[in-house]
Amino acid sequence: MKNVEKYLSRIGLDREDKPALPLDRATLALLMAGQSRCIAFENIDIVLKKTISISPSDVEKKLVDDQRGGYCWEHNTLLRMALEELGYKVMPVMCRVRWGQADDSDCEGPNTPFDHLALIVRIQTPPDGKSNCFLADVGFAGTNSIHPINLGIGDEQQNFPEGLFRVVTSKHDDFHVIELRVVKKKNTDPEVDEQEQEWRPLYEWREESAPWVDQECSNWYSCTYPTHLFTTSFFICKLVSTGDGDERHHISNDQYVIRKGYGVDKEVITEQIKERERLMYLVVEVFGINLDGVETEGIDRFLS
C-alpha cells in the first residue's frame, strides 16, 4: 500500500487519536468497521459498462484517493493491502456464494462459481504466542458481519450486532461455510408472536490461498459475464452510523432501503427512486461516493 496513513484517514481513523494499532482482533474489528462505514459497496463502474481492475495501485487510487466505493474484489483487496502493511498475516480465499442460491446437495457438483473474495487473518495472542484465525470480509454487502468471525471455535454461534453467525463444514468436501441465522414471523397476524428460525449459508471456501491469477480471472468474470448479478443490476450498500446504532442503507435498482436492526424486530423503510436526480443525490450525499470527473451517462438505466 502506497499510503496507509491516508487509508486510515479515509476510514475515519486518525493516528493522533490512536497512535498505536496493536495487531489484535480489536484493531482488525476497528479497521473492518471503519471501512464498512466510510467506503460504500458499489458497482457503478460495472453499470457504466467498465471493466474493474483489482491491481493494488488501481484499487487504492479509486477507493482512497478518488473517494469512490467498490465491490467485493476491490473492498477486500484494499483491506488486505492495509492489513499486510500494518503487519498482519493475511490469506485471500476464493468463495462460492450460497446466499439466495438453490441447494446443490443432490447435484454432481457445486452450482455456483468462485466469484467472491474473503480474507483469513492469523493473529498471535500473548502470552503463549498461539495464533487464531479470523474470517474478515467487508465486501459481502447487506448480510455480512463487519466483525471478524472466529474460525477456531468450531460451529459455536457468534453473536454480533448484525445477527448470529456460525461456521460449519460444507456439504462439499474440504469446504467451510459461514451461515447467518434468519429469524422471521410465522404468522402475518401482528397479534400472534410465533417465530421460525433457520440457518442460511452466505458463502463457502477452502482454506487455500487464492493465487493472484485466479483472483484476476474471477474478478473479470464477476464484472463482465452477461448474466452475472453485478452486470444485470445496480447495487450500493453502506453502513450508516446514527445515535441509535448502525443502519444498513442500500439501493437495489430503483429501491432505496434503510434497515434498522435485524430479525423480527427490524424496521425497514423503502422508497422507490423515480428520477435520475434523486438517484444522484443519494449516491453522493447519503452513500458518500465522489463522482467528480466520472461520465455517468447510463447510471440510471435500472430505474423503472
Side-chain angles (χ1 to χ4, degrees):
M1 176 168 273
K2 293 179 181 178
N3 192 335
V4 71
E5 299 299 332
K6 192 171 185 179
Y7 164 81
L8 293 173
S9 177
R10 173 79 168 103
I11 66 169
L13 296 181
D14 193 326
R15 285 280 199 167
E16 293 183 1
D17 299 330
K18 267 195 172 301
L21 290 174
L23 302 182
D24 56 17
R25 181 179 184 173
T27 297
L28 176 59
L30 195 66
L31 297 171
M32 291 175 64
Q35 188 166 324
S36 299
R37 293 185 179 115
C38 296
I39 305 180
F41 182 104
E42 51 111 329
N43 72 329
I44 290 175
D45 279 349
I46 303 174
V47 170
L48 299 176
K49 301 186 177 181
K50 299 177 182 179
T51 303
I52 302 298
S53 168
I54 57 168
S55 73
S57 59
D58 287 344
V59 169
E60 186 173 358
K61 180 180 184 302
K62 179 181 174 182
L63 275 65
V64 178
D65 297 340
D66 296 344
Q67 304 277 300
R68 286 286 306 277
Y71 77 152
C72 65
W73 296 95
E74 296 167 289
H75 259 285
N76 284 327
T77 294
L78 182 68
L79 180 61
R80 176 191 177 186
M81 293 161 55
L83 292 173
E84 291 179 337
E85 183 70 23
L86 292 170
Y88 283 94
K89 296 186 182 302
V90 185
M91 180 173 72
V93 290
M94 308 271 282
C95 308
R96 299 186 189 276
V97 175
R98 301 303 314 145
W99 183 257
Q101 302 297 319
D103 188 3
D104 59 0
S105 301
D106 297 328
C107 301
E108 291 184 2
N111 61 5
T112 55
F114 289 112
D115 62 352
H116 181 63
L117 179 73
L119 308 173
I120 293 179
V121 183
R122 184 177 295 276
I123 298 175
Q124 288 192 327
T125 55
D128 54 14
K130 290 183 179 179
S131 61
N132 289 322
C133 289
F134 296 88
L135 181 69
D137 186 357
V138 290
F140 200 76
T143 50
N144 66 304
S145 168
I146 65 167
H147 296 80
I149 301 292
N150 193 339
L151 297 178
I153 57 175
D155 61 0
E156 180 180 329
Q157 67 183 31
Q158 302 179 50
N159 192 358
F160 298 112
E162 305 88 4
L164 290 172
F165 296 82
R166 69 178 184 181
V167 176
V168 297
T169 301
S170 169
K171 300 167 185 175
H172 302 124
D173 291 343
D174 302 323
F175 279 80
H176 302 281
V177 59
I178 180 171
E179 295 182 330
L180 169 67
R181 194 174 76 172
V182 176
V183 184
K184 58 184 180 181
K185 288 181 71 69
K186 291 179 64 176
N187 198 306
T188 56
D189 184 347
E191 300 299 321
V192 179
D193 188 22
E194 290 184 309
Q195 300 178 6
E196 60 180 1
Q197 305 178 11
E198 64 177 341
W199 288 98
R200 292 186 187 174
L202 301 184
Y203 53 83
E204 62 182 14
W205 71 92
R206 277 191 304 243
E207 291 192 16
E208 173 182 282
S209 183
W212 178 251
V213 65
D214 290 345
Q215 295 180 52
E216 285 195 303
C217 287
S218 293
N219 167 66
W220 178 82
Y221 166 82
S222 299
C223 68
T224 64
Y225 193 70
T227 59
H228 196 281
L229 173 66
F230 292 127
T231 63
T232 57
S233 63
F234 180 101
F235 190 76
I236 300 179
C237 182
K238 189 179 181 183
L239 210 62
V240 176
S241 294
T242 70
D244 297 323
D246 288 330
E247 300 174 351
R248 284 190 184 264
H249 291 232
H250 77 257
I251 298 175
S252 178
N253 294 333
D254 66 347
Q255 296 295 307
Y256 173 40
V257 179
I258 301 172
R259 190 176 81 232
K260 304 177 182 181
Y262 71 95
V264 295
D265 297 323
K266 69 183 177 185
E267 178 185 358
V268 179
I269 302 169
T270 62
E271 172 194 342
Q272 183 179 16
I273 305 169
K274 299 180 179 180
E275 304 291 340
R276 172 189 169 92
E277 290 72 20
R278 176 60 174 163
L279 175 66
M280 295 298 290
Y281 174 83
L282 292 171
V283 167
V284 175
E285 300 298 332
V286 175
F287 293 90
I289 299 170
N290 176 29
L291 293 178
D292 290 347
V294 177
E295 175 52 62
T296 59
E297 182 178 356
I299 195 173
D300 57 345
R301 64 190 178 97
F302 290 105
L303 298 185
S304 297

